[in-house]
Amino acid sequence: MPDTPSKQKSLIFLSLLCFSLADVRDGLGPFLGVYLQSLGWMPDEIGFVMTAGGLAGLVCTTPLGALADHTRYKRGLIATSVLLIVVACGMIFSWNGAAAVTFSKILSCTAAAAIMPALTGITLGMVGQRALPTRLGTNEAWSHAGNAVTAILGGVIGYTSGIPGVFFVMALMGGMALFCLWGIAPRHIDYAVARGLNPDSIGHAALKSKKLYPLFTDKSLLVVGRTLFFFHLGNAALLPLLRQSAVARFEVNAAAYTAGTVVLAQTTMILTALWGAHIAQKKGYGPLFYMALLALPLRGCIAGLWNSPWSIIPVQLLDGVGAGLLGVATPGIVARLLQGGGHINMGLGFVLTIQGVGASFSNAYGGLFAHHASYSATFFALAAAPCAGLALFTIAALFLPALRHALKGEPVSRVQ
């Protein structure tokens, strides 16, 4: 599909969509934990709410990935998710009892689960496999820029009028996301390529994808998912607990401190995503994946050993490295592993489901350590989890040729 001026306009709107979705997709994100803390919630209570929402979202991720594969209304799927997330987050400030907050978190996480597969499908359908690494880096850079800008706005508003003011920033970005979706022309999305079928498949035959059952038994795909399970078991709770620790022990301003830490990480992620896309285009996704896995144990050790609010600086820089590289590597590896099968977005949803199990239990796991032991012990426990994932992935890469090809960014020559 040639890059006409009208298609370039659609790609610009895709970049702006990534910018605006960054704030909406995570709901209140890091501000929710410190907001609930200000209402007197204990770390384990906050962790259980986060876990409930995460578990609800991950149950829906694979089916919503399948929906992203099969529907031509991918833009409408994202628009519906945006509206539901904004409504759910607004409920938290109207009814902040345990049941209401839990329901709101479950609703927002369920809606957010549809965004990543649908956005990946739109991206793949617009640029194809060959240009996907570069475009994934561009998407990630715009996404992290959106997080940084909204964190600054949220910090300023939160400092002057309280954390509930952050919601209005998120709602504004939600409106911008809807406008950007309208600006992406449907004719610029190849719906066969968007789900992983070959670009030369035309007409009715293009929609006949291969059977689903190999997807759930694909050894390489399962290894990627399990590795990300261990990574996010240690990753998801680390930063929220580090912020809560700083607020509790050093009496920093919750809104300003949270915003500052987000800006630092997101700025790093912008540079890392662009650099990672350049590396992936030349050397494949493997170097990115390994560097991301190594960054997390180092983060946890720094947080556990350095008892100071300033420990957030190296921790956030390393968070930027890990998240920026995984944002490029994960969908890229899945797209290569499942190329030709017609279920790329469902496969990504499947991997994100396994990853989400780790992220959901991370909050409860870390919250229990923080409540019954200490924050320092919590950070060391969180640092241990990705080491198991790194060992699993390294060993599997030695025995699975398909995984090695995907890590190099090469087509996987096997039946999917």
Side-chain angles (χ1 to χ4, degrees):
M1 186 182 297
D3 285 348
T4 62
S6 61
K7 184 178 180 182
Q8 286 299 324
K9 182 179 178 181
S10 289
L11 289 171
I12 291 173
F13 275 110
L14 176 61
S15 297
L16 294 174
L17 175 64
C18 294
F19 179 91
S20 54
L21 282 177
D23 187 53
V24 178
R25 183 169 52 190
D26 293 333
L28 295 172
F31 292 97
L32 178 59
V34 292
Y35 172 67
L36 295 177
Q37 186 180 28
S38 71
L39 298 178
W41 289 51
M42 299 301 293
D44 54 339
E45 294 174 320
I46 297 172
F48 286 131
V49 168
M50 300 294 190
T51 297
L55 289 173
L58 69 89
V59 167
C60 300
T61 302
T62 301
L64 289 172
L67 178 60
D69 273 325
H70 286 82
T71 183
R72 288 178 171 267
Y73 299 102
K74 293 176 175 58
R75 298 181 307 149
L77 182 58
I78 295 177
T80 303
S81 299
V82 168
L83 292 172
L84 288 174
I85 293 169
V86 172
V87 170
C89 290
M91 291 173 56
I92 291 175
F93 298 107
S94 301
W95 303 281
N96 48 39
V101 171
T102 303
F103 174 76
S104 299
K105 186 63 178 174
I106 288 173
L107 179 59
S108 64
C109 287
T110 301
I115 292 178
M116 184 64 171
L119 184 62
T120 300
I122 290 173
T123 302
L124 183 58
M126 292 181 73
V127 303
Q129 284 279 2
R130 186 180 298 275
L132 186 61
T134 299
R135 186 63 224 187
L136 287 174
T138 302
N139 283 4
E140 283 296 298
W142 278 96
S143 177
H144 298 312
N147 270 330
V149 170
T150 53
I152 294 173
L153 293 175
V156 172
I157 294 175
Y159 185 80
T160 56
S161 60
I163 290 179
V166 175
F167 167 74
F168 294 99
V169 177
M170 190 196 72
L172 177 65
M173 298 303 285
M176 179 178 173
L178 296 177
F179 175 74
C180 293
L181 285 166
W182 172 82
I184 298 174
R187 67 180 181 277
H188 295 145
I189 304 172
D190 186 320
Y191 290 99
V193 175
R195 63 184 299 181
L197 293 171
N198 295 324
D200 55 352
S201 299
I202 301 174
H204 181 69
L207 301 178
K208 292 184 178 179
S209 54
K210 298 182 180 180
K211 294 181 180 180
L212 284 176
Y213 67 85
L215 180 71
F216 303 105
T217 58
D218 187 297
K219 293 181 180 178
S220 297
L221 196 67
L222 287 171
V223 165
V224 173
R226 289 167 182 168
T227 302
L228 291 173
F229 166 87
F230 285 111
F231 179 90
H232 285 276
L233 180 64
N235 180 69
L238 195 154
L239 196 52
L241 286 171
L242 186 58
R243 292 192 190 103
Q244 293 172 36
S245 169
V247 171
R249 295 189 291 178
F250 306 112
E251 298 182 354
V252 299
N253 180 274
Y257 188 77
T258 299
T261 59
V262 171
V263 171
L264 179 61
Q266 297 300 324
T267 303
T268 306
M269 290 175 195
I270 295 171
L271 300 175
T272 304
L274 293 174
W275 175 79
H278 175 73
I279 296 299
Q281 196 72 52
K282 291 192 171 184
K283 298 184 178 181
Y285 301 106
L288 279 60
F289 209 73
Y290 280 110
M291 284 187 282
L293 293 175
L294 290 170
L296 181 53
L298 186 55
R299 289 176 65 211
C301 290
I302 292 174
L305 293 171
W306 191 3
N307 186 23
S308 165
W310 297 106
S311 65
I312 199 73
I313 295 177
V315 169
Q316 284 295 77
L317 290 174
L318 288 168
D319 181 43
V321 171
L325 295 180
L326 279 184
V328 177
T330 301
I333 291 172
V334 173
R336 277 303 184 188
L337 283 173
L338 301 180
Q339 182 179 0
H343 299 296
I344 282 180
N345 300 301
M346 186 177 183
L348 180 59
F350 179 53
V351 167
L352 293 178
T353 298
I354 302 173
Q355 163 185 307
V357 175
S360 298
F361 280 105
S362 179
N363 291 291
Y365 170 58
L368 287 170
F369 265 91
H371 184 66
H372 296 290
S374 66
Y375 279 111
S376 294
T378 301
F379 299 138
F380 287 123
L382 293 173
C387 296
L390 179 62
L392 169 68
F393 191 78
T394 301
I395 293 172
L398 296 175
F399 296 99
L400 297 175
L403 182 58
R404 290 199 301 272
H405 284 297
L407 291 178
K408 294 177 183 178
E410 300 171 349
V412 177
S413 55
R414 59 178 170 81
V415 177
Q416 301 293 341

